[in-house]
Amino acid sequence: TLSSTGVISGTPTVAGPFSFTVKVTDALGATYTTSGCGITIGPALTAACAAAVTGQVGVPYSSPIVVTGGTAPYTFAVFSGALPGGLTLSSTGVISGTPTVAGPVSFTVKVTDALGATYTTSSCGITIAAPLTAACAPGSGKVGVAFTSTIAASGGYPAYTFALATGSLPTSLSMT
């Protein structure tokens, strides 16, 4: 609103550029109409959690907090909870590092724009998997007798796929 004292105030509800003129009248009735007045209202500040919600111990991780609206530059801070061990939130809003601890974590991020507007994300989560490992089951067999052995994988993110990396299997045995 425009008050009779010339103050424009309120809480904008629509973004965009707005042009207007103002008629000023003095105590004796003289008038003047301004030209070229304008106010640009930027979109509201919002932020979304990091896009990558999974990682793995010992494997580099990087994912940004996505900000829309507001006025750059932005500042970022973990507002509640904590990031997974080994990860940090940079001044540019990127969560990165090499995770050191497996497990799920929850946190929120507070974003502040250059004009002081703030936005706190909804609860964000990142799950860090244990390192991928695999172990061969000991086995021995006899010619002409059916044989089965299973490679046991753990950590990482199932479903697993297996392929022979080096060497060869005994004749007539295969990985299925």
Side-chain angles (χ1 to χ4, degrees):
T1 59
L2 173 61
S3 75
S4 61
T5 61
V7 175
I8 298 172
S9 64
T11 303
T13 57
V14 177
F18 298 87
S19 299
F20 54 92
T21 60
V22 176
K23 180 180 174 183
V24 180
T25 306
D26 71 9
L28 299 177
T31 63
Y32 179 82
T33 302
T34 65
S35 63
C37 293
I39 298 173
T40 299
I41 304 298
L45 175 65
T46 62
C49 298
V53 296
T54 57
Q56 188 172 339
V57 170
V59 176
Y61 173 96
S62 181
S63 189
I65 300 296
V66 178
V67 178
T68 57
T71 303
Y74 308 104
T75 58
F76 300 84
V78 175
F79 184 70
S80 67
L83 296 175
L87 299 184
T88 59
L89 176 60
S90 75
S91 62
T92 60
V94 177
I95 298 172
S96 63
T98 302
T100 58
V101 179
V105 297
S106 295
F107 57 93
T108 60
V109 173
K110 182 178 180 180
V111 180
T112 305
D113 78 356
L115 300 178
T118 62
Y119 183 85
T120 303
T121 64
S122 59
S123 183
C124 299
I126 299 174
T127 300
I128 303 299
L132 177 62
T133 62
C136 297
S140 60
K142 295 189 187 249
V143 171
V145 177
F147 176 84
T148 301
S149 180
T150 302
I151 308 297
S154 64
Y157 288 94
Y160 306 113
T161 58
F162 299 85
L164 196 58
T166 62
S168 62
L169 295 174
T171 303
S172 296
L173 293 184
S174 64
M175 295 178 67
T176 59

